[in-house]
Amino acid sequence: NLSLSLQNVVKKIAGARRIDPRTIDEMVKDVQRTLLQADVNVELVMGLSTRIRERSLKEKPAPGANPREHVIRIVYQELVDVIGKSTDVPLSKQTILMVGLYGGGKTTTVAKLARYFQRKGLKPAVICADSYRPGAYDQLKQLCEQINVPFYGEKDSDALTIVKHGLKELKGDVKIIDTAGRHALEADLIKEMKQIHKLAKPDQNLLVLDGAMGQLAGKHAKAFDDAIGITGVIITKLDGTAKGGGALSAISETNSSIAFIGTGETLDDLERFDPDRFISRLLG
Amino acid sequence: RELDEKTLERMLWDFETGLLESDVALPVAEDIVQSIRARLLGTKRKHADDILESALRDALGKVLSAKDFDFDEYIESAKKPINIVFVGINGTGKTTTIAKIAHRLKKSGYSIVIAAGDTHRAGASEQIGIHAKRLGVKLIEHQVGADPAAVVYDGVQYTRARHKDVLLADTAGRLHTKVGLMDQLKKICRVTSPDLVIFVDEMIAGNDAVVRAKMFNEVVGIDGSILTKADVDAKGGAAISIAYATGAPILFLGTGQEYDDMVKFQPEWLLDRLFE
Ligand SMILES: Nc1nc2c(ncn2[C@@H]2O[C@H](COP(=O)(O)OP(=O)(O)OP(=O)(O)O)[C@@H](O)[C@H]2O)c(=O)[nH]1
Ligand SMILES: Nc1nc2c(ncn2[C@@H]2O[C@H](COP(=O)(O)OP(=O)(O)OP(=O)(O)O)[C@@H](O)[C@H]2O)c(=O)[nH]1
Ligand SMILES: [Mg+2]
Ligand SMILES: [Mg+2]
């Protein structure tokens, strides 16, 4: 278990002699490749590498720590600095707006989140504000029926109308709004999202991001943040081989943190974000 | 004067970083750089940039126009009915892509049948049902939870019996790490012997594109790939990664959500973007 062994490493730090620069360079190059393959942003990896290398040379390793342990301890700390803690998810009355790119898992995650709140003893209610995707209404309605959660949708109305009516109709304490996939270059869709946000006044705007997202994660997260302000990120499909490195850029660009991770297709496959486990997986 | 090793390595590193920033997967970028390093050793410094660009275009050109396969020519000349199955992980755009292909082929005068091979996900049959209705295309479907192999097989029989030209079979999205689901896909292909297995993945995917393309290729064999959401990520790196991993041609790029939002893949388009 990573954090326990690290605690022991930190305890033993006094009095070790330094490790040679060439070994450090090899270790850092190794870490660099690991982070790049985990989809961490190239620029971010380069910045981290510089800091990791400087600290590895300057700081004394724990007595008996081999070069790899010494560097990994520093890598771990640097990653914790970027990642921070998991988003605070209050168990109280609130409205949550779910947004993100196409196919990232918003609809499934909305239902998973409803399940999460239901399990915590709250009364969730869901609004389908995706008026574009064929079958979006049926998809979310069926998921809500699986867990007996009140669902509101209108098959032929626009998103804004649906949200207006849904917020009035639904009696739940946690109202979760599903929206259509969109991206920064679709001006009409961004405008619609801003209007939904203005109307619903959500307590949380959660960005759903596919765990396999590549180098553009930060850029797209920033676009969503610029439009409506993102309060938390949910990384999906981490039950595969994707490491979710794009999440680091997403949270640094949105100045937020990761709230949950999606780990499967069923409604029970939503976990609270755990920084330690995420970093261990990132470092492979 | 000749390129010294230090300058060469710096050039190759800048070049590799450029590939990585364009979303090319790390092992693929390293491979490409390795093949180019050999070409550049011993060349003159003033020629290095041009040699680098032409070496890259050659290396990528080979990868990207793998087995020069033209989809339209294939549909025209192949014996009918043609069975095409679409595979890939969750959410990449398979169902939407099938609608686009059906639209394109129908415009060219072919008769199309769609098999609703996703009998699992919520709203899947409603989604494909709406597309089939809008396109005026026959849809073969069974009840929710039915065996997908049976649905696709049923589609094959119908297409043959009614003398239709092309069957487009949709399948549920599945992660390459789920052995049971990959076995199910293997069974669908074994039972229905598709003429083409098309891998649908997204341009916005990073390093995982290589991993899953390889896995799908190993399990069912990929004849061609379609890369969606190129309107979201126009860098194109994932195209290189997937072409590299499968050795199969990239047939189309998805460039939006509407039926017309699909273009034939041109390697030159990608190479030009890389050098911008
Ligand atoms: N394996 C796995 N699949 C997931 C996860 N989350 C979502 N999915 C699947 O990903 C696919 C896309 O999910 P959706 O919920 O439809 O995605 P979306 O963001 O609502 O898509 P659009 O509304 O079209 O933008 C579906 O097949 C889901 O079952 C996850 O954590 N793990
Ligand atoms: N912008 C854009 N969106 C696309 C493209 N192709 C598909 N989409 C969108 O991506 C989302 C997912 O598409 P689907 O066709 O449901 O994907 P799928 O692979 O069938 O998903 P599963 O069956 O759940 O695995 C939808 O919102 C589509 O409209 C594309 O080329 N560009
Ligand atoms: Mg959705
Ligand atoms: Mg589908």
Side-chain angles (χ1 to χ4, degrees), chain A residues 29 32-34 36-39 42-43 46 101-104 132-135 138-140 142-143 146 181 183 185-186 189 210 212-216 219-220 237 239-242 263-265, chain B residues 13 16-17 20-23 26-27 30 89-92 120-124 126-127 130-131 134 173-178 181 202 204-208 211-212 229 231-235 257:
Chain A
K29 185 93 179 83
Q32 223 174 46
R33 293 191 73 252
T34 302
L36 286 172
Q37 247 186 309
D39 292 319
V42 175
E43 212 175 320
M46 296 313 152
L101 298 173
Y102 317 90
Y132 295 106
R133 175 169 152 156
D138 303 286
Q139 181 184 9
L140 191 49
Q142 287 169 23
L143 291 176
Q146 284 178 21
H183 77 292
L185 298 178
E186 291 282 345
L189 295 181
D210 188 312
M213 180 97 198
Q215 291 293 312
L216 294 189
K219 173 161 168 259
H220 284 293
K237 308 179 202 171
D239 45 316
T241 43
T263 55
E265 296 188 60
Chain B
W13 175 245
E16 182 172 343
T17 310
L20 293 173
E21 285 175 329
S22 298
D23 244 341
L26 180 68
E30 289 181 329
I89 69 145
N90 310 68
T92 57
H120 161 76
R121 203 206 68 209
E126 287 83 352
Q127 181 184 13
I130 290 168
H131 283 308
R134 283 182 189 167
R174 69 203 64 222
L175 289 188
H176 46 296
T177 46
K178 313 243 153 124
L181 294 178
E202 48 195 26
I204 53 184
N207 280 263
D208 207 46
V211 181
R212 57 217 204 189
K229 308 176 196 174
D231 48 316
V232 180
D233 180 342
K235 293 212 166 187
Q257 299 184 263

Side-chain angles (χ1 to χ4, degrees), chain B residues 10-128:
Chain B
R10 198 194 53 228
M11 282 184 79
L12 289 177
W13 175 245
D14 285 345
F15 177 70
E16 182 172 343
T17 310
L19 288 179
L20 293 173
E21 285 175 329
S22 298
D23 244 341
V24 176
L26 180 68
V28 176
E30 289 181 329
D31 255 17
I32 292 171
V33 168
Q34 190 57 7
S35 68
I36 293 183
R37 177 178 280 117
R39 291 264 300 255
L40 280 179
L41 277 174
T43 62
K44 298 224 179 339
R45 176 68 192 88
K46 64 178 173 163
H47 297 150
D49 290 316
D50 294 330
I51 295 182
L52 184 64
E53 173 161 341
S54 81
L56 176 68
R57 279 179 181 274
D58 289 348
L60 292 183
K62 280 201 204 73
V63 168
L64 298 172
S65 12
K67 317 173 182 167
D68 271 296
F69 173 91
D70 185 273
F71 183 76
D72 297 322
E73 285 176 17
Y74 173 81
I75 299 291
E76 168 122 17
S77 58
K79 181 163 170 294
K80 315 290 185 288
I82 302 170
N83 300 333
I84 306 178
V85 69
F86 293 78
V87 305
I89 69 145
N90 310 68
T92 57
K94 297 175 291 303
T95 305
T96 307
T97 298
I98 284 173
K100 291 176 183 176
I101 297 268
H103 174 69
R104 180 192 178 91
L105 292 179
K106 196 158 187 247
K107 267 206 312 210
S108 305
Y110 298 103
S111 53
I112 311 296
V113 178
I114 295 176
D118 181 351
T119 56
H120 161 76
R121 203 206 68 209
S125 51
E126 287 83 352
Q127 181 184 13
I128 201 162

